[in-house]
Amino acid sequence: MKSDELQKNVFATYFSLRVGMAALAALFPVILWIGGAFRGIELQESMSAYYHAASNGHTMRDWFVGILFAVGAFLYLYKGFSWQENWALNFGGVFALGIALFPMPWKCDIACELISAHAAFASLFFLSIAYVCIFRASDTLHLLEEGQRRKYRVIYKTLGALMVATPVVGALMTVVFMQFKSYVYFAEVAGIWTFAAYWIVKSVELGATRAEHLALQGVLQGR
């Protein structure tokens, strides 16, 4: 294989990883909701509740765990432009696995733990991706003109802020809107879709900066 063909294959691999994460994240809540409905499971109060929810012996547990494992693996395998981004993504991948391996407490009412391992892993997952959005996503923006650079900085910081805000909003809704718990589900969906949006924006930005092409050619070094 020629050098330029190999570079194209490497670039395509990274692009596929980003698009795959975005697609899985975007479809995750849709699969749980629609797949659950086909199995007789009503809309749950949160995405995590689909781990336990069942109807006539049917559950969405395998889908819930499987998608989280896939996203976690993608995050771990994806190598960031800087060592800081790489470590943050690695931690995000591990935290995604933790969400799947430590399910939310179920039907324990007042006996439920105030802070569960599941909630801790979910919060850490969103915080690790928020860190990437706010502090590391701009590592390649120096390759753009000032106008475009400012635009992407605003987008990344907005996405990072949303990644932090959505879990907080979901927690507040649990307390304030106890009788409308499905609001929590939609707050979580907003967070997951923000995660998906980040990878789409990052793919567009890397297409504009050509950072990956430059790195493969040895012109650009990671930080």
Side-chain angles (χ1 to χ4, degrees), residues 38-175:
F38 272 111
R39 297 183 178 193
I41 301 171
E42 63 182 13
L43 177 63
Q44 295 298 297
E45 62 188 54
S46 69
M47 291 175 61
S48 298
Y50 278 94
Y51 180 94
H52 300 283
S55 176
N56 297 320
H58 299 297
T59 72
M60 291 298 292
R61 181 177 302 174
D62 290 345
W63 286 95
F64 180 82
V65 172
I67 292 175
L68 281 172
F69 262 69
V71 170
F74 277 20
L75 284 171
Y76 191 86
L77 293 172
Y78 187 89
K79 301 305 176 186
F81 185 77
S82 64
W83 68 265
Q84 296 98 324
E85 179 186 9
N86 195 51
W87 274 102
L89 293 175
N90 287 348
F91 280 124
V94 172
F95 296 147
L97 299 185
I99 297 170
L101 293 173
F102 294 87
M104 68 175 289
W106 186 248
K107 294 185 177 179
C108 49
D109 297 323
I110 60 173
C112 287
E113 298 175 347
L114 184 61
I115 300 177
S116 65
H118 178 84
F121 278 117
S123 298
L124 289 170
F125 169 78
F126 280 107
L127 287 174
S128 63
I129 305 304
Y131 166 79
V132 172
C133 290
I134 296 171
F135 297 105
R136 302 267 54 99
S138 60
D139 285 344
T140 53
L141 294 186
H142 64 282
L143 298 170
L144 294 172
E145 295 181 355
E146 182 60 31
Q148 284 187 306
R149 199 180 308 161
R150 284 198 301 268
K151 179 185 73 172
Y152 277 106
R153 279 206 184 99
V154 171
I155 293 174
Y156 286 139
K157 290 186 184 300
T158 300
L159 291 174
L162 288 173
M163 291 293 294
V164 174
T166 47
V168 175
V169 171
L172 291 174
M173 285 182 170
T174 302
V175 176

